[in-house]
Amino acid sequence: MTSPAPQTTPHSYLVGGGIATMAAAAFMIRDGHVRGSTITIFEQLGRAGGSLDGAGNPKDGYSLRGGRMLESKYLCTYDLFSAIPTLDESRTVTDEILAWNETMETSSNARLFGDNRPIDAPEFGLSEAHILAIERLAIEPEAMLGRTSIADQFDPAFFETNFWFMWCTTFAFQPWHSAVEFKRYLVRFTHMVAGFNRLQGIMRTVYNQYDSMVLPLRKWLEDRGVRFVLEAQVTDLGFGADDRGKRVDSITVARNGKAETIPLGADDRVIVTVGSMTEGSHLGAHDRPAALGTKRDGGAWTLWERIAQGRPEFGRPAVFSDHIDESKWLSFTTTFSNHDFFHLVRDLTGNAPGEGGLITFAQSNWLASIVLPHQPHFIGQPDSVSVLWGYGLHMDRPGNFVAKPMADCTGAEIMTEIIGHLGQAALTEALLAPANCIPCMMPFITSQFLRRGEGDRPAVMPEGWHDLALVGQFCEMPDDVVFTVEYSVRAGQLAAYRLLGLDRDPPAVFKGQYDPRVLYRAFRALHDLG
């Protein structure tokens, strides 16, 4: 056994600067009364926030890799931000979100768009066999589903229904993704099925989530002494043991071309974000396609692979990192120097920006969708500028109006395709003139949905380890669902409480599937009974 160096004040080292570790740091301070000056967060990029990003300016264009939706039952997220003031310190972030969504309530008049017109409150179009399959999945034990896919559970006709078009584009599912994850989503969001064809219940922040959530949280942490070390890649952990079990005894960090090994004290704590759904992301430009990256473009997957070797309790990263063809898709952010495009979509759909949510072009070969958020979407965005976000799930198919796969398209070509689906091809030149579309290729964006089995995802507190927690989108927490802010925050909260030995738990996952009223409304919706 190693003999760790004595240390009077325990320190906490958090690997990855995303929402999971930032949440863990906040809960350590708020609920564990840990001094912020004893917490260090290492982030390989030049800014914190992880997948909750947002950057750019009106001249060069804004860019978002994605936009995370919220809903009223994200109890861990609202618990966290109930203690975090907004940047202007006028209220808490939670209060701001709740008040904003009372004013800007999502109710789409055009969840699907086809034949040059919006489809208002589209019917699900499910057969009785499809509904029975959905109901069976909701109650079937996960162990029985194993590594099966969604396609293994349904006939081909299911994937041509409006229900599937709306479900897969809202949550980014593909037919080959995990049936277990699909089941978890069905159960987790049972209470939202009744308003699903209008996106009722979907909540958003005032600005993009970097500006509205990450910046206030980082400020709160830094005000309390938390140290953010940016452009610092953790490349390895050293392991040992003591009388309490296995432990991390050192951290190796590469920074400014040099590697430094930090020895850890006996009571130090380590929280590691395993994997990354936005690793290897590459931006294109209005005149250039986005390149496809790999897991070697950053350090998140490499670190998980290294520490998991010979340690099955750390999971199996290859299950999620080695199938890029099944986890990639392309998003795009378009900055307009006027509001003509927004006014056009408003007139076509009947929704003002911020009210309608995601618009999916059901006849699109790319299965493309766009969302027009309330403007401004960025702090400091000029009044004359508007910003939209969109993405496509079938990026390797030729477009309907641009005879190229989406993956090979420039930003201008992507917007040409979108304008065509709006039935406004004659206006393409005029609408493109004030536009700057920046594509973003993300090779691992839905890797957490890939088919998996028991043990592929590690527990937040791996068995046998007393000073180490694993967080992010690739740890295992029963009942809750990945690809959400809530999942990362819950992991961070659980890690903080367990490492500090606190006698408390994160708020329980809301389980509307046990409420007869929720089930009745979902039953009527699935049968298109209104």
Side-chain angles (χ1 to χ4, degrees), residues 462-509:
E463 186 175 357
W465 297 79
H466 66 82
D467 66 345
L468 173 67
L470 305 177
V471 298
Q473 293 291 307
F474 297 91
C475 62
E476 171 58 18
M477 294 183 294
D479 298 329
D480 218 340
V481 293
V482 292
F483 210 32
T484 62
V485 173
E486 177 74 356
Y487 200 84
S488 289
V489 173
R490 180 177 296 277
Q493 189 170 18
L494 183 61
Y497 291 171
R498 294 295 177 268
L499 286 175
L500 296 177
L502 302 182
D503 185 21
R504 60 189 303 171
D505 294 304
V509 175

Side-chain angles (χ1 to χ4, degrees), residues 171-174 176-179 181-182 185 320 445-452 457 474 481-483:
F171 301 121
F173 275 108
Q174 301 276 21
W176 53 82
H177 283 158
S178 167
E181 294 302 332
F182 185 69
Y185 264 73
F320 308 101
I445 189 61
T446 52
S447 51
Q448 62 270 48
F449 283 162
L450 295 179
R451 297 178 300 280
R452 60 173 179 82
R457 299 200 305 213
F474 297 91
V481 293
V482 292
F483 210 32

Side-chain angles (χ1 to χ4, degrees), residues 245-267:
K246 302 173 190 176
R247 62 181 297 271
V248 181
D249 58 24
S250 67
I251 297 176
T252 300
V253 184
R255 192 182 184 204
N256 298 324
K258 298 180 181 179
E260 174 190 5
T261 298
I262 303 169
L264 303 190
D267 295 318

Side-chain angles (χ1 to χ4, degrees), residues 282-285 288-292 330-331 406-410 439-441:
H282 286 285
L283 298 179
R288 186 183 74 251
L292 179 64
L330 191 82
S331 71
M406 189 181 189
D408 297 336
C409 285
T410 66
C440 180
M441 179 72 77

Side-chain angles (χ1 to χ4, degrees), residues 10-183:
H11 281 65
S12 300
Y13 297 94
L14 283 55
V15 180
I19 189 65
T21 52
M22 294 175 73
F27 286 119
M28 283 181 162
I29 295 168
R30 190 193 76 179
D31 298 335
H33 307 294
V34 171
R35 292 208 310 269
S37 59
T38 66
I39 300 174
T40 299
I41 298 178
F42 296 106
E43 169 55 49
Q44 68 177 1
L45 300 179
R47 56 162 46 192
S51 300
L52 297 184
D53 63 345
N57 58 69
K59 180 177 179 293
D60 302 313
Y62 293 100
S63 181
L64 299 154
R65 285 181 290 193
R68 306 288 170 253
M69 294 175 292
L70 307 176
E71 60 101 5
S72 63
K73 307 304 181 185
Y74 280 8
L75 304 182
C76 295
T77 301
Y78 296 128
D79 182 18
L80 168 65
F81 284 101
S82 67
I84 309 301
T86 56
L87 289 177
D88 64 5
E89 299 186 346
S90 63
R91 62 180 102 181
T92 69
V93 173
T94 291
D95 287 341
E96 179 184 70
I97 292 171
L98 297 179
W100 176 251
N101 284 275
E102 287 183 5
T103 302
M104 190 61 62
E105 188 175 3
T106 301
S107 183
S108 176
N109 295 323
R111 179 60 188 88
L112 298 180
F113 199 99
D115 295 324
N116 301 332
R117 64 178 182 86
I119 304 173
D120 186 14
E123 292 188 344
F124 288 167
L126 295 167
S127 70
E128 194 63 33
H130 297 151
I131 296 170
L132 288 172
I134 288 172
E135 292 169 344
R136 172 182 57 79
L137 274 177
I139 62 173
E140 190 161 356
E142 292 184 3
M144 293 184 65
L145 294 173
R147 297 180 185 272
T148 62
S149 69
I150 303 170
D152 291 330
Q153 308 298 323
F154 293 94
D155 62 41
F158 173 75
F159 300 100
E160 299 299 325
T161 63
N162 285 341
F163 177 86
W164 174 251
F165 289 144
M166 291 186 285
W167 190 272
C168 76
T169 51
T170 300
F171 301 121
F173 275 108
Q174 301 276 21
W176 53 82
H177 283 158
S178 167
V180 170
E181 294 302 332
F182 185 69
K183 166 201 167 64

